Amino acid sequence: MPRTRAATLTALALSALLLSACGASVRPQDDTPQPQGYPVTVTNCGRELTFDRAPERVVAYDSGIVETVFALGLTDRLAGYVMAASKNNDIEGSPWKAEYERAPRLGVDRISKESILEAGADFVYAGWNYGFSEDRGLTPAHLDELGVRSYVLSESCRNGVGTTSRGTMPPLEALYTDLRNLGRIFGVPERAERLVAEYQEVVRQAEASVPADRPRPRVFLYDSGTDKPFTGGKYAASNEIITRGGGDDVMSGVLDSWTTVTWESVVEANPDVIVINDYDVPSAEDKIRFLETYPPLAQVPAVKNGRFLVLPYAALVQGPRNPAAIRTVADYLNGL
């Protein structure tokens, strides 16, 4: 999509940054009548957010977040998205590929204040470690100073275990919470409820397909890492994708969403199956090759028996592909 207002918006961005440095608010005054159904107030990561009207220009970061915007039918409100080049496969295999093609891609690295302001955004949907970072000076508080509202991905809400641990609710509850909250914020609550009901039915059918008397295979989610593995803990979407699909997530005791563990803990857990998080480099094939040749894992059943299930990144982080991923896991485990 061409940006005919680039010069004007750049000037506005510089003005906004200068004003914020002086502690001034840049949120414009709006005297138009309040739309029907507003104001609405939602709770997000412990904060109450009140909206007098639906945001009109959204910037979103990362595939699960962007696809939530698409699923809610809000493509026309998407001023742009930022997604790392390593997630290009998510776009190619997405049920919303046509929507991606309609929306402007603002960058292939990290989201920034500059890209947000240049897009003329009035709302940012991102998360902690999904775009928001104190180290880079991009947080909901920083955006508030610039007059830009924001919403934090519920999977990434900080839980007080240490300084950066994330996750405060079961992953599917986080997905449904965000769908309902965003549905209210954008004035599409009925669509949000239809999506929740649809996803709940997919999950119900997947769970019903799992034989009640079948032992639950132990499953480890491998994202990346050679010295130490990066994986999903109790509050990552991968946890319920595994458990609702009939498996036993061996990292359920880790009180975080996405984090690093030790190879010793993986060996001790002795998984029967390893789920591979597939995105760009290294490829899923390279990850499997590493696991098959890493000596400490040689006697782990998943490796000995070649039981690797590859799923795309967008299916394993919080987003609208989660329910279908549960069905995929259930079908795979049922076939063992």
Side-chain angles (χ1 to χ4, degrees):
M1 180 180 292
R3 291 196 216 154
T4 57
R5 298 189 298 154
T8 302
L9 290 172
T10 300
L12 287 173
L14 292 172
S15 299
L17 289 169
L18 288 171
L19 286 170
S20 65
C22 299
S25 171
V26 298
R27 185 172 291 132
Q29 296 296 317
D30 191 340
D31 298 324
T32 57
Q34 200 167 74
Q36 186 174 1
Y38 289 85
V40 298
T41 298
V42 301
T43 301
N44 174 225
C45 293
R47 295 190 309 156
E48 285 199 347
L49 307 177
T50 298
F51 292 81
D52 295 328
R53 51 186 41 82
E56 296 180 353
R57 295 187 60 80
V58 180
V59 167
Y61 180 80
D62 209 48
S63 50
I65 290 171
V66 176
E67 291 183 0
T68 299
V69 175
F70 293 154
L72 285 166
L74 302 173
T75 306
D76 289 341
R77 293 180 183 265
L78 191 62
Y81 68 92
V82 178
M83 191 182 300
S86 63
K87 309 302 178 3
N88 285 343
N89 288 345
D90 277 346
I91 297 175
E92 288 303 310
S94 176
W96 296 276
K97 184 178 179 182
E99 305 302 304
Y100 275 113
E101 292 172 351
R102 287 178 55 199
R105 190 170 186 173
L106 305 178
V108 293
D109 189 14
R110 295 177 176 178
I111 196 169
S112 67
K113 287 181 183 177
E114 290 74 18
S115 62
I116 291 166
L117 291 169
E118 286 177 7
D122 60 0
F123 185 88
V124 172
Y125 183 21
W128 294 112
N129 286 26
Y130 292 90
F132 289 142
S133 167
E134 285 99 343
D135 292 342
R136 294 190 298 105
L138 184 64
T139 69
H142 290 125
L143 291 176
D144 281 344
E145 293 174 0
L146 298 176
V148 179
R149 306 299 304 275
S150 62
Y151 187 92
V152 177
L153 180 77
S154 285
E155 183 191 65
S156 76
C157 295
R158 288 177 172 165
N159 59 27
V161 179
T163 57
T164 59
S165 294
R166 297 168 294 160
T168 59
M169 64 183 77
L172 283 177
E173 182 181 337
L175 172 63
Y176 302 152
T177 294
D178 286 356
L179 286 168
R180 287 175 168 134
N181 280 349
L182 293 166
R184 294 187 63 210
I185 290 169
F186 285 92
V188 290
E190 296 85 2
R191 185 179 181 105
E193 288 299 335
R194 285 198 302 271
L195 288 172
V196 171
E198 174 187 326
Y199 297 157
Q200 287 175 332
E201 179 59 16
V202 172
V203 173
R204 186 197 67 76
Q205 291 184 18
E207 290 183 299
S209 76
V210 178
D213 58 351
R214 190 203 70 194
R216 297 176 70 87
R218 298 179 302 277
V219 182
F220 171 63
L221 181 282
Y222 179 58
D223 178 286
S224 58
T226 54
D227 292 339
K228 292 183 177 181
F230 192 70
T231 187
K234 178 178 180 178
Y235 296 113
S238 58
N239 175 259
E240 281 198 295
I241 289 169
I242 292 168
T243 58
R244 301 277 188 142
D248 177 14
D249 180 4
V250 299
M251 293 300 160
S252 288
V254 177
L255 302 181
D256 205 340
S257 57
W258 295 89
T259 190
T260 300
V261 295
T262 66
W263 285 118
E264 290 79 5
S265 67
V266 177
V267 173
E268 183 178 352
N270 208 33
D272 300 300
V273 174
I274 296 177
V275 173
I276 305 293
N277 190 0
D278 183 23
Y279 56 96
D280 202 40
V281 180
S283 67
E285 292 78 12
D286 288 339
K287 291 178 182 180
I288 291 172
R289 191 174 301 113
F290 165 73
L291 295 171
E292 289 177 329
T293 58
Y294 186 56
L297 299 179
Q299 299 305 311
V300 167
V303 175
K304 287 176 65 177
N305 297 310
R307 291 175 175 167
F308 301 101
L309 173 61
V310 178
L311 290 175
Y313 172 89
L316 290 166
V317 295
Q318 182 193 312
R321 295 200 217 182
N322 295 160
I326 293 171
R327 184 68 210 217
T328 300
V329 170
D331 290 345
Y332 179 86
L333 298 182
N334 289 343
L336 294 179

